[in-house]
Amino acid sequence: MTELQTARRRHTLRRNAVALAFLAPSLLAFSAFLLFPVVWVVRQSFLAGGVLGPARWVGLENWTQALSDPTLTRSLRNTVVYTAMVVPVTLVLALGLALLLRRVRRGGVVVRTVVYLPSLAPVVLAALIWVFMVQPDFGLLNVVNRALGIAPLNLLGDERLALPTIAGLDVWRGFGFWAILLLAALLAVPPELYQAAALDGASPARRFWHVTLPSIRPVLAVAALLAVVLSMQVFDSVYILTNGGPSGSTRTAVFYIYTSVFETGNPGYGAVLSLILLVCIVALTLAMAQIARRVGRAGA
Amino acid sequence: MRRAAVALFCLVALAPFLYVLSTSLKQTRVLFDYPPDWIPNDPYGGNYTKLLTDYPFVRWVFNTLLVAGVVTAVKLCIDSMAAYALTRMRFAGRRVVLGAMVATIMIPPALLIIPLFFIVRDAGLLDTYWALILPALANPVGVLILRAFIQAVPEELEHAARVDNANAWQVYRHVILPAIRPGLVVVASYVFLVQYVDFVWPLVATQSDSKLLVSTGLATLKPRTINVDWGLTSAGCVLSMVPITVVFLVFQRQLVGRSLVAGLKG
Amino acid sequence: MAGVRLSGVTRRYARDEPAAVDAVSLEIADGELFVLLGPSGCGKSTLLKLIGGLEEPDEGEIHIGERLVNYVSPGRRDVAMVFQSYALYPHMTARENIRFPLKMRKVARAEADDAVERAAGVLDLGALLHRKVDALSGGQRQRVAVARAIVRDPAVLLMDEPLSNLDALLRMQTREELLRVHRSVPGTIVYVTHDQVEAMTMGDRIGVMDRGRLVQVATPLEVYGRPANRFVAGFVGTPPMSFVDGELTPEGGFRAEGIDLALPRELARAALRGGEDREGWSLGVRPEAVQVTSLNGGPPAGWTVEAVEHLGADSIVGLRHGRSFLRSRLGFGATVTPGSAVGVWLPAEGIHLFDAHGRNVLA
């Protein structure tokens, strides 16, 4: 080999070694605690048992059981319904607040901080606060009801109202956070666009529809996507507020996964459920991306 | 008109907190009074003392700060190093690693709880601080955020350092790190927040009381069978908000707004 | 102190795209101020980075002095670089910036301080050393960048368009200062620029690049007076050379719209020797060589004055005949009126001839 070729080889080796040294710790953690678990889940979905004794191979048994499991269908339905309640309401409120905050100058920082507080609270904390709020005897909600002359409600004990109540928690937690995000997007719209529209004689409503919305569409789309993905994974609030009841009306997908592993003791089944949930989320995400693209093309 | 609407939003956001605050200063029997006193005539500190003496609240905070602190510090180091390698070094398999990191963001954390549990159990690390710290180091979001910041550092700066005979580590230390300080703040705040708030994993990975965090500890205040001590619970909520509010106020400008939108668009 | 030798150096970014640097071979003498000149995208900066070690060649060899440095890291090549954006470390003071290369080489404290003082002295930076980078003006930053480059006495100094971010007056002053530095600090300098005035005034020799290829390497006067091809001829010189497309006559003349002349013997011989097609040739003349005459008979006539630009000291006249266009430089006092018809006379020594491929027939 020529002097040049040996030099080249040594150089490339060295370059790779340096890069590896920088990458190694993060890559190690990533592989061990993220990649490997994913592979593990797929493998586990074909096994049964394993919590107390050794696991045994059961082939597709877990899968067939899952696909005909009414509880799974119910929990997926609960989750989707929940998401459908939370995301649109949160984003609409957030957008409204963001539009209002756009012109606020004095005390803007205070308002932004106050409004952001609910998102800061750990979900557990917020859930506890919320339990307190809807408490039949002295919860704030029922205090207001009493003041208005309505009978106090036991929201969390009511099969039909429990899920919307948890949804309410998420809306309360989320609207401030998304509002701040959307506010940043609104502030990034170049004012010339509005000025041009005003000169063209567009009313405020039309300016909103034709200038504001299209300009923030990318951010709005990502926000919606993120909100949906997060909503589909709701767990903490269910655990604290209702523990899946009453009568399984608030049993969401992740909650079902949790109980099937840690209460029923069948991790293989839990693995299958997780994968099914993953597929649902990905499908939903793709569907939303498609819709966003189509709306974008129609509007643009 | 507009101001009234904004005030309404603020009220809605704040009211539950304030109500909880006022409740934390009341004794349980007073709670059932209607109409309720917003500002109690006779502030009762007993809930707080009970919280701090009968429950290891201080321990919860200590554990949480310890775990969150260690995770944040370690992650800042390893994520910035990995981001530098992925952004500015050419090496075999770079695209594969990057692709894997981007792809795994989509994976719901719920999916990982089960395998992580078994991995940690089989490693004999269940119910230890390691169980709380190690899995948290895997999240690729930090690497990807820092990558965006490193891309914004002008390449010529690195070239200058290399011509000045700085090796990779020296470039990293003297050029890259100082230049991405805002990015490090963003990632630190984000990681700390996520750790503070984490609930499911600590719930699953620890059993003993000595390892309770703020999140898992608070959950014990609402036992499923006995009646809830509302005064106590409210006090717990109020105190738990303090550390995180402090962190937020300190890093407020970085967390809220511009950096997030820029990250989303890019 | 060392020379630089490049043999067949090629740098390609994508397999199906044209190479950024295409088979460049070049020898730069020790102590020379060599200018790489060309339009943006021609590959001159890439070539500089290859010499500096910031990029690796796909083919070819790079020598600095006697060493083969293809895979030697930039820090070990004994080169220093001044970047277009100066690339000063933003969070350090001027002194710390200048000191940095010495710090990286673990030079002793006292020795390093001396070197910094010397470099700062050459560039008159004494009073500014303590300031942070963002407290310095553009011109000051540029000087700090140069100081940082010379502080360790490199064998080769690489400069990538160092003056392009300065305003016109500052540019001229800094140009003179750089030449002064070159004279006082002996060393080879490779200087990249797209500004041909800079190239002409500063370079001992110029290397003109076009689309990755080194087209001509010669002294400034040669590049100006005997450009290797149409590209070089049109790039160097302001206002640029005019070209007229036409054909050769069998008798050794050149014919185009508005031009019908006999070529000087040297040109005619070289042109006809190739035995190529007689069409597709072009004639090049610099504005100072184009003489405007009155219409009464004589050499090629019937040109219309299209535009006149008064520059003060002289005027540039645009002359048109059909599709042919010539620029002429009129001296002090001479005037023509736009729209008038004039004659054009081209002296023999001002004529350049380019073949169908754009090559200078005399190259």
Side-chain angles (χ1 to χ4, degrees):
Chain A
M1 249 189 285
T2 65
E3 182 193 349
L4 198 58
Q5 282 173 301
T6 35
R8 169 176 250 153
R9 191 149 308 182
R10 214 179 323 137
H11 175 89
T12 317
L13 270 168
R14 203 158 171 280
R15 203 174 52 186
N16 285 344
V18 170
L20 192 64
F22 271 81
L23 203 48
S26 186
L27 198 57
L28 202 65
F30 176 72
S31 309
F33 299 111
L34 205 55
L35 283 184
F36 180 63
V38 174
V39 173
W40 190 98
V41 168
V42 176
R43 180 174 167 275
Q44 186 69 20
S45 66
F46 301 117
L47 305 171
V51 181
L52 292 171
R56 56 175 212 287
W57 185 268
V58 291
L60 291 174
E61 194 178 297
N62 285 327
W63 285 91
T64 45
Q65 188 185 344
L67 289 172
S68 55
D69 182 354
T71 318
L72 175 64
T73 324
R74 188 128 184 263
S75 39
L76 279 175
R77 190 159 50 95
N78 285 340
T79 313
V80 173
V81 167
Y82 174 84
T83 306
M85 282 190 282
V86 170
V87 177
V89 175
T90 310
L91 288 181
V92 166
L93 285 177
L95 189 56
L97 179 59
L99 288 169
L100 286 171
L101 286 178
R102 198 168 37 168
R103 310 283 189 75
V104 171
R105 213 130 295 243
R106 261 183 316 148
V109 179
V110 176
V111 172
R112 290 207 296 271
T113 314
V114 165
V115 149
Y116 199 75
L117 274 179
S119 333
L120 268 188
V123 191
V124 177
L125 199 111
L128 283 177
I129 294 181
W130 205 247
V131 174
F132 186 54
M133 285 301 115
V134 301
Q135 217 272 354
D137 298 312
F138 46 79
L140 184 57
L141 193 65
N142 283 311
V143 165
V144 169
N145 278 344
R146 255 161 142 191
L148 293 175
I150 315 173
L153 306 161
N154 183 8
L155 289 170
L156 292 178
D158 185 325
E159 223 175 274
R160 285 162 303 147
L161 295 177
L163 198 61
T165 309
I166 305 184
L169 167 63
D170 237 349
V171 172
W172 176 69
R173 276 194 69 235
F175 83 89
F177 172 80
W178 293 115
I180 304 294
L181 201 84
L182 292 175
L183 178 64
L186 283 175
L187 291 176
V189 178
E192 294 92 55
L193 286 181
Y194 292 113
Q195 289 159 1
L199 280 174
D200 286 342
S203 66
R206 304 205 79 196
R207 284 208 297 270
F208 174 76
W209 191 256
H210 288 283
V211 178
T212 313
L213 273 189
S215 303
I216 61 170
R217 202 168 45 83
V219 179
L220 205 53
V222 175
L225 213 73
L226 227 74
V228 165
V229 173
L230 288 174
S231 256
M232 293 282 288
Q233 300 175 44
V234 59
F235 174 80
D236 304 16
S237 31
V238 173
Y239 183 88
I240 297 284
L241 286 170
T242 58
N243 206 36
S247 331
S249 61
T250 58
R251 187 183 297 126
T252 58
V254 177
F255 192 79
Y256 187 37
I257 295 173
Y258 174 77
T259 52
S260 70
V261 177
F262 296 103
E263 286 176 19
T264 321
N266 190 350
Y269 198 63
V272 172
L273 296 176
S274 318
L275 288 171
I276 295 180
L277 177 63
L278 175 64
V279 168
C280 289
I281 295 183
V282 171
L284 200 57
T285 309
L286 287 176
M288 286 183 67
Q290 268 293 65
I291 297 176
R293 213 173 302 150
R294 237 167 275 137
V295 167
R297 247 178 296 166
Chain B
M1 181 56 219
R2 174 174 294 133
R3 239 173 292 167
V6 173
L8 185 63
F9 272 110
C10 289
L11 190 67
V12 171
L14 216 46
F17 287 110
L18 294 175
Y19 199 59
V20 167
L21 179 62
S22 102
T23 306
S24 69
L25 297 167
K26 294 182 191 165
Q27 286 175 280
T28 315
R29 60 167 196 277
V30 173
L31 288 177
F32 290 84
D33 290 351
Y34 180 81
D37 268 332
W38 274 91
I39 305 174
N41 295 327
D42 194 11
Y44 172 68
N47 287 322
Y48 285 94
T49 46
K50 201 198 298 181
L51 181 72
L52 293 170
T53 53
D54 289 356
Y55 287 86
F57 186 77
V58 178
R59 175 114 211 178
W60 299 345
V61 174
F62 171 76
N63 282 342
T64 311
L65 289 181
L66 176 71
V67 171
V70 170
V71 170
T72 306
V74 172
K75 238 180 162 326
L76 277 182
C77 292
I78 67 177
D79 279 2
S80 56
M81 281 169 56
Y84 178 46
L86 284 172
T87 317
R88 284 289 155 83
M89 298 188 196
R90 277 165 41 211
F91 58 93
R94 180 176 89 154
R95 245 176 271 179
V96 172
V97 173
L98 205 52
M101 287 197 165
V102 172
T104 51
I105 296 185
M106 283 263 293
I107 297 181
L111 195 94
L112 302 167
I113 300 289
I114 310 170
L116 280 178
F117 174 76
F118 284 99
I119 293 174
V120 167
R121 185 193 71 167
D122 294 342
L125 291 175
L126 216 50
D127 209 26
T128 63
Y129 284 113
W130 291 113
L132 296 171
I133 293 176
L134 289 180
L137 299 178
N139 191 342
V141 171
V143 175
L144 295 172
I145 294 181
L146 287 176
R147 191 174 118 89
F149 279 90
I150 294 182
Q151 279 171 332
V153 176
E155 237 180 332
E156 289 203 331
L157 221 51
E158 275 174 79
H159 288 328
R162 279 170 64 197
V163 171
D164 285 342
N165 202 29
N167 58 31
W169 177 258
Q170 286 163 327
V171 175
Y172 166 75
R173 210 189 115 207
H174 293 281
V175 177
I176 300 288
L177 278 188
I180 58 170
R181 199 168 296 153
L184 292 175
V185 173
V186 169
V187 171
S189 322
Y190 170 77
V191 171
F192 189 82
L193 224 80
V194 167
Q195 278 310 114
Y196 194 86
V197 167
D198 202 9
F199 177 66
V200 195
W201 174 244
L203 184 72
V204 160
T206 62
Q207 291 130 351
S208 38
D209 287 349
S210 64
K211 298 290 181 311
L212 282 175
L213 304 178
V214 170
S215 48
T216 40
L218 277 182
T220 64
L221 292 181
K222 182 190 180 285
R224 304 190 194 181
T225 45
I226 327 164
N227 273 325
V228 182
D229 182 347
W230 288 111
L232 185 69
T233 316
S234 314
C237 290
V238 172
L239 281 188
S240 306
M241 277 302 282
V242 170
I244 209 167
T245 313
V246 167
V247 169
F248 174 69
L249 287 177
V250 170
F251 295 113
Q252 194 227 57
R253 218 175 305 136
Q254 277 84 2
L255 270 185
V256 176
R258 278 168 301 158
S259 52
L260 279 175
V261 178
L264 279 184
K265 274 206 198 130
Chain C
M1 229 164 319
V4 178
R5 187 160 47 101
L6 303 163
S7 339
V9 173
T10 304
R11 176 80 174 103
R12 210 173 278 120
Y13 286 113
R15 220 160 299 165
D16 47 351
E17 274 172 24
V21 171
D22 199 347
V24 167
S25 297
L26 179 57
E27 265 199 60
I28 302 176
D30 184 7
E32 189 178 3
L33 199 165
F34 189 89
V35 177
L36 280 173
L37 175 67
S40 13
C42 71
K44 55 193 192 297
S45 289
T46 312
L47 189 58
L48 200 71
K49 288 199 197 139
L50 284 165
I51 299 177
L54 296 169
E55 299 240 10
E56 284 150 25
D58 294 309
E59 287 162 34
E61 293 184 0
I62 305 176
H63 288 83
I64 296 185
E66 289 307 306
R67 285 167 75 204
L68 178 67
V69 294
N70 278 39
Y71 296 104
V72 175
S73 72
R76 297 240 187 83
R77 290 193 190 197
D78 203 7
V79 298
M81 192 152 163
V82 179
F83 297 85
Q84 192 173 354
S85 67
Y86 316 139
L88 295 178
Y89 306 118
H91 51 287
M92 299 184 193
T93 62
R95 181 188 292 273
E96 285 164 347
N97 261 280
I98 302 176
R99 223 164 161 281
F100 192 78
L102 302 173
K103 185 164 152 200
M104 290 297 115
R105 282 180 176 74
K106 300 197 173 46
V107 172
R109 200 77 210 262
E111 208 182 305
D113 285 339
D114 274 347
V116 171
E117 292 298 323
R118 259 177 303 163
V122 170
L123 286 146
D124 201 18
L125 283 173
L128 302 171
L129 281 180
H130 66 282
R131 285 212 210 157
K132 280 226 159 152
V133 169
D134 48 21
L136 297 171
S137 73
Q140 292 166 338
R141 284 187 210 179
Q142 208 257 10
R143 279 187 282 156
V144 174
V146 177
R148 181 177 69 182
I150 65 174
V151 77
R152 49 189 182 82
D153 216 2
V156 181
L157 185 58
L158 305 171
M159 302 184 123
D160 192 355
E161 307 211 40
L163 304 183
S164 59
N165 289 344
L166 302 172
D167 62 57
L169 180 61
L170 206 50
R171 203 178 300 175
M172 208 166 62
Q173 290 173 341
T174 318
R175 218 164 58 210
E176 287 158 19
E177 201 169 276
L178 284 178
L179 280 170
R180 195 170 42 82
V181 169
H182 175 56
R183 280 192 288 270
S184 62
V185 179
T188 315
I189 298 186
V190 183
Y191 188 103
V192 162
T193 180
H194 62 272
D195 182 332
Q196 33 115 17
V197 172
E198 257 172 55
M200 297 287 283
T201 52
M202 297 187 74
D204 293 332
R205 275 194 306 160
I206 302 180
V208 183
M209 286 186 75
D210 177 28
R211 283 174 292 189
R213 295 179 157 250
L214 196 58
V215 172
Q216 181 171 13
V217 176
T219 64
L221 281 182
E222 271 172 45
V223 170
Y224 189 83
R226 199 180 264 224
N229 63 12
R230 254 186 87 141
F231 169 76
V232 177
F235 191 76
V236 178
T238 306
M241 184 187 283
S242 314
F243 298 100
V244 177
D245 297 324
E247 58 182 12
L248 295 176
T249 60
E251 312 85 44
F254 181 85
R255 199 191 346 234
E257 278 185 66
I259 299 188
D260 190 355
L261 48 75
L263 289 170
R265 240 206 337 237
E266 198 192 357
L267 289 180
R269 244 205 327 258
L272 294 175
R273 180 183 50 211
E276 298 155 34
D277 225 352
R278 264 182 277 158
E279 290 177 4
W281 291 73
S282 36
L283 192 84
V285 233
R286 296 214 180 266
E288 57 266 22
V290 178
Q291 311 284 343
V292 172
T293 65
S294 55
L295 256 189
N296 325 331
W303 289 73
T304 322
V305 174
E306 207 172 62
V308 182
E309 290 172 335
H310 298 285
L311 299 178
D314 39 26
S315 318
I316 307 294
V317 183
L319 303 161
R320 183 169 287 282
H321 192 295
R323 276 189 306 238
S324 303
F325 183 81
L326 287 175
R327 258 189 223 98
S328 169
R329 179 181 296 224
L330 290 186
F332 183 67
T335 46
V336 281
T337 28
S340 56
V342 293
V344 160
W345 184 69
L346 307 173
E349 48 297 356
I351 295 178
H352 298 82
L353 189 63
F354 302 96
D355 66 18
H357 302 288
R359 271 194 306 256
N360 189 333
V361 79
L362 290 178

